[in-house]
Amino acid sequence: MVENDFITPKKIAELAADEFGTPIFDLDAFDIEVAPKDLISPSLLQAHHVIPLVRRSNRLFIGVSDPTNLVAIDEIKFHTGLSVDAVLVEEDKLTAALERFLDDSSDAFNDLEEEEGLDDLDVVDTKKTDDDSNVADGADDAPVVRFINQMLLSAIKKGASDLHFEPYEKSYRVRFRIDGVLQNMAKPPQALGPKLSARLKIMSNLDISERRIPQDGRIKLKISKTKAIDFRVNTLPTLFGEKIVLRILDPSSARMGIDALGYEDDQKQLYMAALERPQGMILVTGPTGSGKTVSLYTGLNILNQEGTNISTAEDPVEINLDGINQVNVNTKVGLDFAAALRSFLRQDPDIIMVGEIRDLETASIAIKAAQTGHMVMSTLHTNSAAETLTRMMNMGVPSFNLATTINLIIAQRLARRLCGNCKQPAEIPRDVLLKEGFTEDQLKDITVYKPVGCSNCNKGYKGRVGIYEVVRITPAISRIIMEEGNSIDLSKAFDKEGFNSLRKSGLVKVAKGITSLEEVNRVTTD
């Protein structure tokens, strides 16, 4: 009934409370950190879908969404030896609270349970690189293995993009980047830092005896018979040990489809029209972590047909795509972006993707490829579409080549989505909204929302959405490029042609209730 929106979990809880005479407890007002953690095994909590709340002397209060589940109460009585009282809670809040309770690993090495599956996750193609190291032996200790596996699974479950394992002089911490923001997840004992580093390096096929230089590796974690997750691993020698960062490479993010990325209808049409052109260049720009790779991969998936030859040069290849020829650049052996591009042109390509244009040589070859009948897609690290053009001019690319070759420029950012369960209207004065950039027409029918925070989200936000500036190179814009206009001139031309800036696109998302004004202010500027 809940799944089909016939009734809410809150209403079901109220009906159950009336029927069974059981009080309702609001889990949103409960600090999960104070719940007793040593009394009931995680497997038992998951099996009966209950959560421990408070222990008073020999009485234990547990949260349940089904007051008829007497088997759970009896079994918990048997395992704890305590008198158990059931308190009614809402089903959706119970699910979220139980997930947070089971994932809480601040004291992971003191009370980590031997949960089924944590000891024997299938890491593909692993091998030890050092036989006589005591640290390597310690890295195979059961608590170390279970803790690392728990962190990897928890990161996947929470939708994290990166994991940071960080040693300091008197502490060690693990942080996840969730929705673009780093959050503390665990603080294992500082003395176990070398064993954690060694375990991660063994899983990544890295040399555990080498702790003086950075290393790069990959972990392929098989989490089921049909699904595996790749992690890109980088180690960095710091003052108090090796910091290790893992980037989660989720192939599903590259196959989401253009409708899931957050383009407005007119922006989506511009992108699709550019992809349909037989030649020219599409540039995607933005800072690291702004979703450029996903935008490019989405376009490549649309173009990936049986009659098309697609080649990509990336540093490194993050996600494997069937039917596309992907090349890892390796500057140590002379295989840089420019060398890969030259080789592509002798491979009868239709579409070429260059991971990043960093220098004049790469830019020149990419421009020539786009001029000779190929579709070229690439990225740059600039802040806006206008700055992308001026950056390439500053590299030394002739302005007439830019004006005649580039079809489309996409500048983008990722903003956090407001949680649909708890967002609330924000009372912002009209004059403030006008100063922020809203027009009088927008203010006629607009509700600006603010984050609140609940058990289903992270401080009022859940997930992210793209904010885009999509610019098609029109004849008027081409003339300004030919005249070597600066970024201010180009921005004015984009506005005159009706292309929304990043700021304006962000305000559209605010007006639709997708994100908050403060979040748009965080990721965009005027």
Side-chain angles (χ1 to χ4, degrees), residues 182-200:
L182 281 170
Q183 300 175 26
N184 285 329
M185 300 306 299
K187 291 184 179 180
Q190 188 268 342
L192 288 167
K195 292 183 179 181
L196 295 175
S197 298
R199 175 61 186 168
L200 287 167

Side-chain angles (χ1 to χ4, degrees), residues 446-458:
I446 182 177
T447 302
V448 177
Y449 290 89
K450 65 180 179 180
V452 177
C454 67
S455 59
N456 293 320
C457 66
N458 177 31

Side-chain angles (χ1 to χ4, degrees), residues 127-130 194 197-219 231-238 241-247 316 332:
K127 62 177 182 289
K128 273 197 179 183
T129 58
D130 195 276
S197 298
R199 175 61 186 168
L200 287 167
K201 289 165 76 173
I202 288 171
M203 296 171 73
S204 311
N205 289 340
L206 300 179
D207 182 0
I208 67 168
S209 64
E210 180 56 78
R211 304 183 188 91
R212 300 165 300 172
I213 60 173
Q215 297 186 66
D216 291 292
R218 288 173 83 100
I219 296 173
F231 296 81
R232 190 179 76 202
V233 183
N234 177 264
T235 70
L236 178 69
T238 66
E242 287 182 288
K243 174 178 177 177
I244 300 183
V245 176
L246 288 74
R247 165 69 58 89
K332 292 179 182 178

Side-chain angles (χ1 to χ4, degrees), residues 227-229 249-257 294 298 301 319 321:
K227 186 173 182 180
I229 298 290
L249 308 176
D250 185 4
S252 63
S253 65
R255 300 182 177 88
M256 287 191 301
V294 172
T298 300
N301 270 318
I319 298 171
L321 298 175

Side-chain angles (χ1 to χ4, degrees), residues 261-264 267 415 417-418 438 442 465-468 503-516 520:
L261 298 184
Y263 287 95
E264 302 299 330
Q267 295 176 334
R417 285 181 182 269
L418 283 167
F438 286 102
Q442 285 177 311
V465 65
I467 295 175
Y468 303 92
R503 176 73 181 175
K504 288 183 178 178
S505 294
L507 294 178
V508 171
K509 294 287 193 295
V510 174
K512 290 182 176 181
I514 296 172
T515 189
S516 66
V520 168

